[in-house]
Amino acid sequence: DAGVIQSPRHEVTEMGQEVTLRCKPISGHDYLFWYRQTMMRGLELLIYFNNNVPIDDSGMPEDRFSAKMPNASFSTLKIQPSEPRDSAVYFCASSLGLAGVTETQYFGPGTRLLVL
Amino acid sequence: LAKTTQPISMDSYEGQEVNITCSHNNIATNDYITWYQQFPSQGPRFIIQGYKTKVTNEVASLFIPADRKSSTLSLPRVSLSDTAVYYCFSGGYNKLIFGAGTRLAVHP
């Protein structure tokens, strides 16, 4: 298995532009997670899905952030409009069952976002 | 509100045993405790997971006391390649929470 796939690996954009991050989870995994990592705040859970349905989006910073999972093999995280404080590494992860309850998360390589 | 707390950094030397402890405030009854390792420019990678007492695999041991308010990751005989950031994680039925990470530096 190729593992969790994220694209792009790096993204540089200007403030106000729309940014779309993509994720392909491991085949057969029912859970998909989006995290943001910064030096100041560490790893923060933004949202997670179970069988394509959003379960907990309480970590989404504000209305500028949205996430979708149209099918079991694809998810997007969109920021519109982007701001410099959104600069971070965004990780996607997937798990076979609910992470933390016997199942582990498998992380993608991350997307490094820089908003100028 | 559940919270995990761990030391910011640790130093060790090759061949030594390293123990990293995390406190798990308000961990839910059914939640497991997991530890991850992260190298620069990579995503976190699973090391070990447990619920109570002791778990051992080929790379580490995990000690969880009966009250489950803490966990200790034990890395036997570390090498330079173990230099990384180590995260404790809990959640599942409760909020999914990573600790802030412990930066381990292994010296020759």
Side-chain angles (χ1 to χ4, degrees):
Chain A
D1 197 322
V4 176
I5 300 173
Q6 292 187 247
S7 64
R9 292 294 309 276
H10 298 88
E11 177 81 25
V12 180
T13 190
E14 293 186 344
M15 182 174 62
Q17 296 297 307
E18 177 180 290
V19 175
T20 299
L21 310 181
R22 298 172 176 81
C23 175
K24 175 179 170 56
I26 293 173
S27 177
H29 281 192
D30 295 332
Y31 287 82
L32 183 140
F33 308 83
W34 282 102
Y35 287 90
R36 177 172 68 176
Q37 186 174 42
T38 62
M39 288 294 293
M40 290 297 294
R41 301 176 68 89
L43 269 165
E44 300 175 278
L45 176 67
L46 300 178
I47 185 171
Y48 77 91
F49 297 82
N50 175 215
N51 291 324
N52 314 336
V53 176
I55 302 300
D56 183 356
D57 65 354
S58 60
M60 295 286 264
E62 48 197 272
D63 291 345
R64 298 185 298 105
F65 286 69
S66 63
K68 295 182 180 180
M69 192 165 185
N71 57 63
S73 59
F74 183 67
S75 177
T76 60
L77 177 67
K78 187 175 295 186
I79 308 173
Q80 166 63 18
S82 60
E83 296 181 3
R85 60 189 167 126
D86 301 330
S87 298
V89 180
Y90 291 82
F91 288 105
C92 176
S94 69
S95 66
L96 192 57
L98 181 55
V101 185
T102 75
E103 297 297 336
T104 66
Q105 300 171 83
Y106 294 84
F107 283 78
T111 295
R112 188 173 297 272
L113 173 65
L114 177 61
V115 183
L116 302 174
Chain B
L1 186 65
K3 184 177 180 181
T4 58
T5 306
Q6 56 184 122
I8 294 175
S9 64
M10 295 183 70
D11 287 276
S12 185
Y13 293 90
E14 285 188 291
Q16 290 189 334
E17 178 184 76
V18 171
N19 295 309
I20 307 174
T21 297
C22 181
S23 65
H24 302 275
N25 183 32
N26 291 329
I27 186 171
T29 301
N30 294 326
D31 286 351
Y32 277 62
I33 294 170
T34 310
W35 282 80
Y36 290 84
Q37 176 191 55
Q38 186 178 28
F39 296 111
S41 301
Q42 295 184 23
R45 184 177 70 174
F46 170 83
I47 300 175
I48 196 167
Q49 183 182 63
Y51 181 79
K52 197 181 288 186
T53 63
K54 178 182 177 181
V55 178
T56 298
N57 61 22
E58 62 276 9
V59 298
S61 294
L62 177 61
F63 302 89
I64 303 172
D67 65 7
R68 299 189 354 104
K69 292 184 183 299
S70 67
S71 67
T72 299
L73 172 72
S74 180
L75 304 172
R77 298 179 300 281
V78 294
S79 64
L80 296 177
S81 63
D82 293 317
T83 293
V85 180
Y86 293 83
Y87 293 92
C88 55
F89 170 87
S90 67
Y93 290 109
N94 207 341
K95 189 81 173 174
L96 304 180
I97 297 176
F98 274 90
T102 298
R103 189 171 299 275
L104 173 65
V106 180
H107 305 282

